[in-house]
Amino acid sequence: MRETDFGAFLPRLGDALLETLLMVTGAFLFAGIIGLLLGLLLYASRPGNLLENRVVFAVLNVVINVVRPVPFIIIAIAIIPFTRLLVGTSIGAGAAIVPLTLAAAVAVARIAESNLVAVDPGAVEAGFAMGAGPARVLFTIVVPEALGPLVLGFTYIVVALVDASAVAGVIGAGGLGDLAIRYGYQRFDTLVVVVIVVILIVLVQAAQLLGDRIARAVMH
Amino acid sequence: MSLRVEAGQIFGIVGYSGAGKSTLLRTVNALERPTGGRVRVGDVEISALAGRELHRARQRIGMIFQQFNLLRSRTVYKNIAYPLKLAGLGEAQILDRVEELLAFVGLSDKALSYPSQLSGGQKQRVGIARALANRPDVLISDESTSALDPQTTGEVLDLLRRANREYGTTILLVTHEMDVIREICDRVAVMQDGRVVEHGDVFDVFAHPQHPTTRRFVSSVLHHLPSDETLRRIRARHPGRLVQLDHAPDESSDPLVSRVARDHGVGLEVVYGGVGELQSRRFGSLTIEVSGAEPAVEAAIVDLVASGRAAEVTHA
Ligand SMILES: Nc1ncnc2c1ncn2[C@@H]1O[C@H](COP(=O)(O)OP(=O)(O)OP(=O)(O)O)[C@@H](O)[C@H]1O
Ligand SMILES: [Mg+2]
């Protein structure tokens, strides 16, 4: 154990917090949009559903099932060339958004799909009976009816991203996880580790509280 | 099968589970496509439409469901507004029309409630308001009262009858409850194994059911005909010959029975039966035991049968 040098640590803590927030919000935005679109496509193309398409459904299914089980750290390393191509570097919080987005998007796709599938088929049928077309039914009935669970699913993703961003830190993304390991763990400074873990817990709690609130507001 | 529903009628389709009632009903708005044949609504051949034309045609056909199928994420107001928006109405027009519909179904105070805050009967009234929103020519109903208690069923049926009378909406409804048919239908079709086995005026079908399935349905609500089981018990207590006599529709008491008893010197005892009202006509039948000396009994039965309203009970 050694004395923590707060004068040097606190500014780094502030930077690391910003890096984590950047990774999480950036990846959440991109993964949210991409994953939701994939989930909608999965739902709509599912055999028997409103835009049934066996080929689309099968291809998406396979792609998602291939990406999903791969540990995040391996994804992050494996797509380094792609990340470089996209953002010019593979180092830093900005670059980490790429693998985080990929990993989160497939998770969002599955979460969205399962929440959409759970929508009462009767509501969908009522939409068609009233003369709505498939796209209209999808966006004005299926999505709104699934909104509450979707919000909860997205909240889960935010929490998972906080976790994954710490892992990304290990391969040069910066952020709170990186700081905890380099400044705390490797220097045997328990206090630093504890402070950072507490901050992570507060972040996760805040995200969960917000998600619960929004979900409650949209569910009736 | 060929089935014709006249404009302005309330037409009922009844049958046991799996008979194909829903399937038939859903061909009317092309939620289900027939493998062969055509379905026409007014002068539109709905079974041949697709895309926008089909969507437009469906706006002219209201549908209500057993499980109501309201949108839980929307208020009552927005549920009823949904088909109006589909039809392209402006907000001001939608407001007027929704208020009118809410008043019609008696839910003006529930505009801002969500479906989860309503009772089953109220939900179905919202369903009816939604189905009537675009003033459809036809309303189709799949077991719309089957999830409701008898009191609420009555209220919903009243509402359907009012829609039929006040707006002239043709109603095609599917049910497995013969009571619903008796309450509001003008005509009825009985289905079994994907076919219509019998159809006609509700009064005629109830008075003279031809098909065994129809007979079972009729006796499920009109308890004037003894079941085979009951008949066996009656026979055990009444050894004489039995005659079934339809009640004369327009007479309050039946002069035929007393005349035959007098003319032939036989005893006539009512052992089963009932008389009620159907489509505001008197309706029912009596099972009568004829007792006395054999030649007189025979003559009395011949006389009764000759009236055209009676038949000897030979089974069970
Ligand atoms: N005319 C038909 N041709 C082919 N299949 C039919 C026909 N009618 C019904 N079926 C099939 O029979 C099954 C039961 O039909 P349906 O759901 O319409 O019955 P139902 O009378 O509505 O029963 P329930 O009272 O349980 O709702 C369905 O799988 C349907 O595809
Ligand atoms: Mg059915």
Side-chain angles (χ1 to χ4, degrees):
Chain A
M1 280 291 275
R2 44 185 287 174
E3 277 297 293
T4 306
D5 178 359
F6 277 102
F9 172 62
L10 280 181
R12 302 203 56 169
L13 184 64
D15 288 347
L17 181 59
L18 286 181
E19 284 162 359
T20 292
L21 288 177
L22 173 68
M23 282 189 273
V24 171
T25 50
F28 177 69
L29 275 181
F30 292 123
I33 293 167
I34 297 169
L36 185 59
L37 288 177
L38 289 176
L40 284 170
L41 216 52
L42 272 171
Y43 170 83
S45 65
R46 174 178 278 266
N49 272 8
L50 61 192
L51 294 168
E52 173 171 354
N53 186 322
R54 276 162 206 283
V55 178
V56 171
F57 184 72
V59 169
L60 272 180
N61 234 339
V62 168
V63 169
I64 289 173
N65 284 347
V66 165
V67 178
R68 278 257 281 173
V70 181
F72 173 68
I73 187 100
I74 295 180
I75 293 184
I77 293 167
I79 67 161
I80 281 177
F82 176 68
T83 305
R84 280 218 184 94
L85 194 74
L86 217 58
V87 293
T89 171
S90 65
I91 309 291
I97 290 177
V98 178
L100 284 171
T101 297
L102 178 63
V106 288
V108 171
R110 279 295 180 220
I111 289 173
E113 181 198 18
S114 61
N115 289 328
L116 297 174
V117 167
V119 168
D120 177 15
V124 174
E125 173 154 294
F128 283 118
M130 286 186 277
R136 191 123 185 186
V137 168
L138 190 59
F139 291 108
T140 66
I141 293 183
V142 179
V143 172
E145 291 289 293
L147 205 53
L150 276 178
V151 168
L152 290 178
F154 276 92
T155 307
Y156 171 81
I157 289 296
V158 171
V159 173
L161 276 172
V162 172
D163 184 25
S165 72
V167 178
V170 175
I171 53 164
L176 289 170
D178 179 44
L179 189 65
I181 288 170
R182 285 199 289 136
Y183 226 86
Y185 182 72
Q186 286 170 359
R187 293 204 207 163
F188 308 102
D189 189 338
T190 316
L191 188 59
V192 164
V193 176
V194 169
V195 167
I196 289 173
V197 167
V198 168
I199 291 174
L200 287 172
I201 291 173
V202 170
L203 279 183
V204 166
Q205 278 292 344
Q208 191 64 52
L209 271 174
L210 186 65
D212 284 343
R213 284 209 148 188
I214 298 175
R216 214 163 329 122
V218 299
M219 275 195 281
H220 305 285
Chain B
M1 74 172 70
S2 169
L3 206 57
R4 192 183 161 74
V5 179
E6 300 293 338
Q9 277 181 349
I10 303 185
F11 194 106
I13 300 170
V14 69
Y16 290 109
S17 194
K21 309 180 294 291
S22 302
T23 309
L24 174 64
L25 192 76
R26 291 157 51 86
T27 61
V28 174
N29 60 359
L31 285 177
E32 201 97 48
R33 300 275 182 176
T35 45
R38 289 179 303 179
V39 179
R40 222 182 348 235
V41 177
D43 26 303
V44 179
E45 190 177 329
I46 195 118
S47 51
L49 296 183
R52 276 179 191 289
E53 287 187 326
L54 176 60
H55 302 159
R56 234 191 318 272
R58 279 177 175 159
Q59 290 170 12
R60 310 294 313 146
I61 303 170
M63 184 169 192
I64 55 177
F65 309 84
Q66 178 169 5
Q67 297 304 329
F68 324 122
N69 293 355
L70 301 180
L71 307 180
R72 293 150 43 109
S73 57
R74 288 169 202 254
T75 59
V76 166
Y77 180 93
K78 292 236 167 108
N79 264 279
I80 302 174
Y82 189 90
L84 296 168
K85 219 169 240 170
L86 276 180
L89 265 63
E91 284 301 330
Q93 286 169 295
I94 291 179
L95 180 69
D96 285 350
R97 181 68 182 141
V98 173
E99 275 179 354
E100 188 183 337
L101 287 157
L102 281 171
F104 180 75
V105 300
L107 289 175
S108 296
D109 55 332
K110 299 286 184 202
L112 300 180
S113 301
Y114 283 90
S116 61
Q117 299 164 318
L118 303 180
S119 71
Q122 291 171 329
K123 283 182 199 164
Q124 196 57 289
R125 275 144 68 191
V126 176
I128 291 172
R130 182 176 71 172
L132 293 175
N134 283 319
R135 306 178 201 278
D137 314 309
V138 182
L139 179 75
I140 59 182
S141 151
D142 195 350
E143 304 278 12
S144 60
T145 60
S146 301
L148 304 174
D149 63 52
Q151 159 89 27
T152 317
T153 293
E155 290 167 19
V156 166
L157 293 181
D158 276 344
L159 200 50
L160 291 179
R161 198 185 290 118
R162 271 179 53 216
N164 174 255
R165 299 240 170 98
E166 292 177 27
Y167 301 143
T169 316
T170 307
I171 299 179
L172 180 59
L173 66 85
V174 155
T175 180
H176 62 266
E177 296 168 314
M178 208 59 179
D179 259 329
V180 170
I181 303 283
R182 177 169 66 165
E183 276 293 314
I184 64 164
C185 291
D186 305 311
R187 290 175 70 81
V188 60
V190 182
M191 281 193 75
Q192 190 183 334
D193 302 327
R195 313 176 181 283
V196 173
V197 293
E198 186 165 353
H199 66 104
D201 252 27
V202 168
F203 188 90
D204 295 340
V205 170
F206 272 71
H208 306 288
Q210 303 297 316
H211 194 275
T213 304
T214 315
R215 252 179 259 147
R216 261 189 296 162
F217 268 111
V218 169
S219 62
S220 71
V221 284
L222 302 177
H223 304 288
H224 60 176
L225 290 174
S227 66
D228 288 355
E229 185 60 31
T230 312
L231 205 53
R232 267 192 291 278
R233 280 199 299 276
I234 292 171
R235 290 239 191 253
R237 271 178 286 134
H238 301 276
R241 291 165 71 179
L242 300 181
V243 170
Q244 218 146 53
L245 180 69
D246 285 349
H247 192 274
D250 308 312
E251 315 267 357
S252 51
S253 69
D254 201 333
L256 177 66
V257 177
S258 44
R259 184 182 64 72
V260 167
R262 208 171 45 236
D263 288 2
H264 298 280
V266 291
L268 293 181
E269 188 191 349
V270 174
V271 294
Y272 199 88
V275 176
E277 208 188 45
L278 180 66
Q279 298 197 318
S280 27
R281 290 162 75 185
R282 288 170 67 78
F283 174 77
S285 90
L286 304 172
T287 302
I288 296 171
E289 181 193 27
V290 188
S291 56
E294 184 41 44
V297 168
E298 175 66 27
I301 289 177
V302 169
D303 201 348
L304 283 169
V305 172
S307 75
R309 294 200 279 124
E312 182 163 8
V313 182
T314 51
H315 56 286

